[in-house]
Amino acid sequence: MSRDLRPNLATILVFVRGWVVPVVVSLTLLALTTAVLWYVDQWPGTDSLVFIYFVPTTFVALRYGNTAAMFAILMSCLLAAYFLMPPEFSFAVSSPLDVMELIFFGLLAMLASRVVSGFMRDQN
């Protein structure tokens, strides 16, 4: 009585739909958002661009739920620190105001993703 330990197609599809697709969509949306924000950041007088990351994280929360949204929030904070906040191309953030901005964004985005994913769960 040997049991076949190879994953079947249904198991693979569940894994891809549950984990791979949300991660790939999140990273794609965040990469596009970062490219636009990095371009806009070159203009004078542009501050607090990190809050634009609410758009892709909200979409991810609506479409894929809270876990994928938390991943998107973490990646948003890392991308903003690396590309948008001085010194650029470093995860070290020089200004305490920028650090507080990242923390505030992360907390607000977590709260918003919980609320949005809760609304979607109630509708289903």
Side-chain angles (χ1 to χ4, degrees), residues 2 9 32 37 40 45-47 54 59 65-67 69 79 98 120-122:
S2 70
L9 185 59
L32 291 172
L37 291 179
V40 170
T46 55
D47 293 329
F54 273 124
F59 174 77
N66 193 38
T67 305
L79 288 169
D98 288 338
M120 291 307 292
R121 199 171 345 131
D122 287 344

Side-chain angles (χ1 to χ4, degrees), residues 51 54 70 73 77 101-111:
F51 290 99
F54 273 124
M70 292 300 158
I73 292 165
C77 289
E101 185 177 344
L102 279 174
I103 292 170
F104 189 60
F105 164 75
L107 292 174
L108 282 176
M110 280 190 261
L111 177 65

Side-chain angles (χ1 to χ4, degrees), residues 81-93:
Y82 192 79
F83 287 105
L84 302 177
M85 297 186 175
E88 284 187 349
F89 308 116
S90 171
F91 289 111
V93 179

Side-chain angles (χ1 to χ4, degrees), residues 3-4 12 14 35 39 43 45 47-48 53 57 63 67 75 86 94 98 100 103 111 118:
R3 184 174 172 202
D4 189 14
I12 293 170
V14 167
Y39 176 72
W43 300 344
D47 293 329
S48 302
Y53 283 111
T57 55
R63 182 69 178 98
T67 305
M75 292 307 297
S94 61
D98 288 338
M100 290 305 297
I103 292 170
L111 177 65

Side-chain angles (χ1 to χ4, degrees), residues 1-22:
M1 200 174 177
S2 70
R3 184 174 172 202
D4 189 14
L5 296 177
R6 291 178 292 164
N8 60 12
L9 185 59
T11 305
I12 293 170
L13 286 176
V14 167
F15 175 75
V16 168
R17 286 185 187 152
W19 289 100
V20 175
V21 171

